Amino acid sequence: MPTPEMLTKPDITSTWKAMEALYDSGKARAIGVSNFSSKKLTDLLNVARVTPAVNQVECHPVWQQQGLHELCKSKGVHLSVSILTNSKIYSVFASMN
């Protein structure tokens, strides 16, 4: 069983730079992230040349992530929300512009 010490920490900056290169080359029309918290999104925005088009996250009445909603709205990042109800997953785009 792997321990936390055995796991490799992802290099988000290098990964994002590679995604920006794909965007610049025209191979991707948009680039985005998934399950980024406010802190992780802020860290990315500090080094990103291209703002993420979307952040796909889970959201429901118990976990509304209002701070993340406000951050995305202020930075022009669309929020794609996945809602789990009665064992079904619904995806909803929440335009934050």
Side-chain angles (χ1 to χ4, degrees), residues 15-29 31:
T15 301
W16 191 254
K17 296 297 180 193
M19 291 173 66
E20 287 176 329
L22 290 171
Y23 176 80
D24 291 340
S25 73
K27 293 180 181 177
R29 290 186 283 172
I31 52 177

